[in-house]
Amino acid sequence: MASLKGQKIVVVGGSSGIGLGVAAAALAHGADVVIVGRSLEKLRAAERALDSGHRVKILAVDITKEPEVARAFDEIGAFDHLVSTAGTPPPGDPIERIDIDVVRRFFDSKLIGAVTLAKHAVPTLRKGGSMTFTSGINKDRPPVPGGAVVAAIAGSFGYFAHALALELAPTRVNVVSPGWVDTPMWDEMVGAAKSGYFAEMAARLPAGRIATPADVAAAYVYLMESELTTGETMHIDGGHRLI
Ligand SMILES: NC(=O)c1ccc[n+]([C@@H]2O[C@H](COP(=O)([O-])OP(=O)(O)OC[C@H]3O[C@@H](n4cnc5c(N)ncnc54)[C@H](OP(=O)(O)O)[C@@H]3O)[C@@H](O)[C@H]2O)c1
């Protein structure tokens, strides 16, 4: 396993939830991190929460805008690992009522965003470093009705990583597929109903509880450190796929 000490890690989505957990874990392993998101306010709050001085840099970038992504990697310079957890709540309407503009925006922020990141990361990402993207349990256990779009997007990440791992070798490309994780995205999606949903799901899960960002962050750290893991999807879902 390669140590993360002194490595430079770019965490897109690092201002909140799973990405903030990855940034904290990377810092704890001795890395320097650049956290990226759209909102400067969220980035500043995350920087304060991480409380690691010069080892954290923030960069406001919308990954749906290619020129912003290109400029960001120019500014970041040489680096060792790219992690992306960027995403917005998925469209959840039944297919006959789905708003195609919302679907396009969701594709832009997830799959097209990941492709854009990969394209502009390649020139400055160390050969033999890694890219880790984020899919999710909705590809395996889609909400019914309304889960078709999010399942399609999340499912596509595994194939994206397979192909890109071959194309970019020896740089490694992997995916983390979380189950339910207690993050601000849930507050945005279901508000005060969150605790009820979580209690019900925790009672069904083999693991018996909902994940924290720190639980899932450990998988991203493993995938960055493991020099022999590439083209892989690592499921951190508490056994959600088994029920
Ligand atoms: N939480 C779960 O239960 C769960 C389960 C399975 C999969 N996932 C997936 O995991 C990913 C992270 O989820 P989370 O729960 O950690 O969400 P979160 O707390 O809402 O964090 C999302 C992060 O992505 C950033 N972001 C969103 N759109 C962006 C864009 N266009 N450009 C740059 N940054 C952008 C956000 O910052 P700004 O808003 O400031 O841009 C924020 O930092 C999502 O893709 C989600 O679908 C989550």
Side-chain angles (χ1 to χ4, degrees), residues 222-238:
Y222 175 84
L223 291 172
M224 285 188 274
E225 288 183 338
S226 172
E227 292 168 301
L228 292 183
T229 308
T230 193
E232 185 63 271
T233 296
M234 186 175 280
H235 297 88
I236 310 293
D237 62 12

Side-chain angles (χ1 to χ4, degrees), residues 79-84 114 117-122 125 129-133 160-161 164 168 171-175 223-224:
F79 71 109
D80 298 290
H81 301 281
L82 170 69
V83 168
S84 180
L117 286 170
K119 171 181 172 180
H120 290 283
V122 164
L125 176 60
S130 74
M131 299 184 184
T132 308
F133 297 100
F160 178 58
L164 206 54
L168 297 182
T171 298
R172 297 173 298 102
V173 185
N174 293 297
V175 177
L223 291 172
M224 285 188 274

Side-chain angles (χ1 to χ4, degrees), residues 88-95 97-107 109-110 138 143 145-151 153 189:
T88 48
D93 288 328
I95 200 77
R97 291 210 304 273
I98 208 149
D99 179 335
I100 297 300
D101 287 336
V102 171
V103 172
R104 283 193 209 284
R105 282 201 294 277
F106 187 64
F107 266 77
S109 75
K110 286 291 292 184
N138 281 338
V149 169
V150 66
I153 295 273
M189 287 190 305

Side-chain angles (χ1 to χ4, degrees), residues 13 15-16 18 38-39 42 62-63 85 110 135 179 181 183 186:
S15 62
S16 178
I18 298 169
R38 292 166 301 179
S39 152
K42 278 201 228 174
D62 181 343
I63 63 165
T85 66
K110 286 291 292 184
S135 63
V181 188
T183 70
W186 275 96

Side-chain angles (χ1 to χ4, degrees), residues 2-241:
S3 165
L4 296 187
K5 195 166 171 50
Q7 301 264 287
K8 186 164 166 187
I9 299 175
V10 177
V11 185
V12 183
S15 62
S16 178
I18 298 169
L20 182 56
V22 174
L27 286 163
H29 281 73
D32 294 341
V33 299
V34 182
I35 56 174
V36 177
R38 292 166 301 179
S39 152
L40 197 53
E41 198 183 323
K42 278 201 228 174
L43 286 163
R44 287 190 176 130
E47 186 183 24
R48 280 193 299 278
L50 291 166
D51 191 22
S52 293
H54 295 306
R55 291 169 59 215
V56 178
K57 290 208 172 358
I58 61 175
L59 215 45
V61 175
D62 181 343
I63 63 165
T64 67
K65 298 185 173 143
E66 186 175 4
E68 287 190 23
V69 174
R71 269 199 303 278
F73 284 110
D74 280 348
E75 193 173 330
I76 290 165
F79 71 109
D80 298 290
H81 301 281
L82 170 69
V83 168
S84 180
T85 66
T88 48
D93 288 328
I95 200 77
E96 69 273 21
R97 291 210 304 273
I98 208 149
D99 179 335
I100 297 300
D101 287 336
V102 171
V103 172
R104 283 193 209 284
R105 282 201 294 277
F106 187 64
F107 266 77
D108 270 353
S109 75
K110 286 291 292 184
L111 186 59
I112 310 288
V115 174
T116 310
L117 286 170
K119 171 181 172 180
H120 290 283
V122 164
T124 45
L125 176 60
R126 174 173 60 79
K127 299 270 173 290
S130 74
M131 299 184 184
T132 308
F133 297 100
T134 305
S135 63
I137 186 65
N138 281 338
K139 69 186 179 323
D140 309 296
R141 295 289 178 273
V144 179
V149 169
V150 66
I153 295 273
S156 68
F157 272 91
Y159 293 102
F160 178 58
H162 282 190
L164 206 54
L166 290 170
E167 182 173 329
L168 297 182
T171 298
R172 297 173 298 102
V173 185
N174 293 297
V175 177
V176 174
S177 178
W180 289 16
V181 188
D182 188 357
T183 70
M185 188 177 279
W186 275 96
D187 299 303
E188 192 181 336
M189 287 190 305
V190 300
K194 181 177 91 168
S195 57
Y197 279 111
F198 279 7
E200 207 175 297
M201 178 54 78
R204 293 176 54 216
L205 282 176
R209 68 174 175 85
I210 300 300
T212 64
D215 290 321
V216 185
Y220 293 84
V221 169
Y222 175 84
L223 291 172
M224 285 188 274
E225 288 183 338
S226 172
E227 292 168 301
L228 292 183
T229 308
T230 193
E232 185 63 271
T233 296
M234 186 175 280
H235 297 88
I236 310 293
D237 62 12
H240 196 151
R241 282 169 308 138

